């Protein structure tokens, strides 16, 4: 049986209201010894810090911080974002990047249509702090990608980060499903140690229903598909698909994912002449649960 360490904190300003969550070491004991004295017990030693600020008192236990006042408790996850950023900085250039604190993995620079980043308009650029860059050769293999995920989750001994976990997104400069076999293998490697990590893919959807079935079966829970337009001709102009693919393939792909239980979000760029309302209506008819418009940058 592991030893139990105790950390006692005194909180000024009355009886504290705290929301606590420990990923690495589940709370073994939590009680208010007195109205001003909180005692926390964990199965293994963990650093605990209490600092004063004009807003209140910050209680840091493990990876989570609670801002306490006599009647208010604010719970937020700062370290997850820091862990993701550290993993991205340590990775090979172009293999990973971050947006909104989420971890993104790139599989290739190649695409079977106009690259999604190019559909945003000539004035579009990825945020400078995202660490986004084109991939350098060679293209990443599953072991390298899984190692980045592991680094981002290194402070979590359970599968994922809980309900707040934004997971891992396969995207990048190119089309990730062109390397679907590597994507599937990457997820399998991650799941060997972390069963709770959610996976999402951002794709142009210009694939067959067989690929949709593989995406669903490998453990991708969410997909963002660029529907672009409700008009097949306009879609062809916007995307310039190769290999004989067309708007009808995207529609069938979305339907197949939705029927397989994948949570599908469709998107369209507010480019000149695009009827966003019609695209939204089509996405709903195809089974998508969400629709998002992306800004166009002339």
């Amino acid at each position: 049986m592991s030893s139990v360490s105790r950390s006692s904190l005194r909180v000024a300003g009355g009886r504290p209201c705290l929301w606590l969550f420990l990923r690495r070491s589940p709370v073994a004991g939590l009680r208010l010894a007195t109205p001003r004295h909180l005692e926390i017990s964990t199965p293994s030693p963990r650093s605990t810090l209490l600092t004063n600020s004009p807003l209140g008192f910050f209680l840091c236990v493990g990876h989570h911080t609670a801002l306490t006042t006599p009647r208010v408790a604010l719970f937020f996850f700062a370290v997850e974002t820091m862990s993701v950023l550290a993993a991205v900085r340590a990775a090979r250039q172009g293999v990973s990047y971050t947006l909104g604190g989420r971890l993104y993995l790139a599989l290739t620079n190649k695409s079977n249509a106009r690259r999604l980043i190019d559909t945003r308009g000539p004035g579009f650029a990825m945020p400078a702090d995202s660490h986004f860059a084109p991939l350098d050769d060679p293209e990443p293999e599953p072991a390298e990608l899984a190692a980045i995920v592991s680094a981002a989750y290194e402070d979590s001994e359970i599968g994922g980060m809980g309900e707040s976990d934004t997971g891992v997104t396969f995207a990048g400069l190119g089309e990730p499903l062109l390397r679907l076999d590597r994507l599937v293998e990457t997820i399998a490697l991650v799941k060997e140690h972390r069963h709770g990590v959610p996976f999402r893919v951002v794709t142009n959807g210009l694939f067959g229903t067989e690929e949709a079935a593989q995406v669903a079966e490998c453990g991708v829970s969410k997909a963002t598909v660029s529907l672009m337009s409700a008009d097949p001709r306009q879609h062809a102009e916007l995307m310039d698909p190769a290999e004989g693919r067309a708007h009808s393939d995207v529609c069938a792909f979305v339907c197949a994912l939705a029927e397989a239980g994948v949570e599908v979000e469709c998107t369209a760029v507010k480019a000149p002449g695009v009827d966003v309302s019609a695209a939204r209506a089509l996405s709903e008819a195809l089974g998508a649960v969400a629709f998002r418009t992306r800004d166009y940058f002339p």
Side-chain angles (χ1 to χ4, degrees):
M1 183 176 180
S2 61
S3 61
V4 174
S5 63
R6 293 182 180 274
S7 301
S8 298
L9 303 173
R10 293 188 179 278
V11 183
R15 190 182 186 91
C17 175
L18 299 177
W19 296 351
L20 298 177
F21 182 79
L22 296 178
R23 287 201 316 271
R24 170 166 287 186
S25 301
V27 175
L30 173 62
R31 68 186 182 89
L32 286 170
T34 70
R36 293 171 180 262
H37 185 203
L38 175 67
E39 185 177 90
I40 304 169
S41 300
T42 62
S44 61
R46 298 291 291 159
S47 60
T48 305
L49 174 66
L50 182 68
T51 58
N52 196 357
S53 81
L55 296 177
F57 292 87
F58 285 93
L59 172 65
C60 306
V61 184
H63 299 284
H64 298 277
T65 306
L67 170 61
T68 71
T69 65
R71 297 183 180 180
V72 179
L74 300 178
F75 190 81
F76 56 93
F77 302 86
V79 174
E80 280 82 350
T81 300
M82 294 171 62
S83 298
V84 168
L85 184 57
V88 168
R89 286 175 172 169
R92 186 160 58 93
Q93 179 175 300
V95 178
S96 62
Y97 56 103
T98 180
L99 292 171
R102 299 175 178 175
L103 175 63
Y104 285 73
L105 298 178
L107 287 164
T108 183
N109 290 335
K110 300 173 184 176
S111 184
N112 57 347
R114 183 168 289 119
R115 292 168 176 164
L116 297 183
I117 194 171
D118 294 330
T119 67
R120 301 292 302 276
F124 176 76
M126 294 288 283
D129 60 357
S130 68
H131 296 272
F132 175 87
L135 279 169
D136 291 330
D137 290 331
E139 292 179 327
E141 292 299 321
E144 180 179 7
L145 297 168
I148 295 171
V149 178
S150 180
Y153 283 80
E154 65 180 350
D155 292 321
S156 174
E157 289 183 353
I158 62 175
M161 296 177 180
E163 293 182 0
S164 69
D165 190 0
T166 54
V168 178
T169 298
F170 293 98
L173 179 62
E175 170 52 55
L177 295 189
L178 288 180
R179 301 187 75 213
L180 180 55
D181 57 339
R182 301 298 196 275
L183 184 152
V184 170
E185 189 176 343
T186 299
I187 293 177
L189 286 175
V190 172
K191 285 188 173 183
E192 289 180 2
H193 304 287
R194 304 184 185 281
H195 300 286
V197 177
F199 289 93
R200 180 174 73 108
V201 63
V202 177
T203 174
N204 59 31
L206 288 162
F207 294 89
T209 55
E210 298 84 0
E211 286 86 355
Q214 291 182 59
V215 169
E217 290 168 2
C218 75
V220 171
S221 58
K222 296 182 179 180
T224 297
V225 182
S226 295
L227 184 59
M228 297 303 292
S229 174
D231 183 348
R233 291 182 181 179
Q234 187 176 54
H235 177 273
E237 294 172 357
L238 293 170
M239 293 301 298
D240 190 23
E243 303 171 359
R245 294 294 184 182
H247 186 256
S248 58
D249 293 302
V250 182
C251 295
F253 186 82
V254 170
C255 285
L257 284 179
E259 290 175 357
V262 177
E263 185 178 317
V264 182
E265 171 194 51
C266 286
T267 63
V269 177
K270 292 186 286 186
V274 173
D275 187 340
V276 172
S277 297
R280 181 189 300 274
L282 177 58
S283 73
E284 293 174 354
L286 295 173
V289 298
F291 181 84
R292 180 158 47 105
T293 58
R294 299 185 186 274
D295 290 331
Y296 181 79
F297 295 82

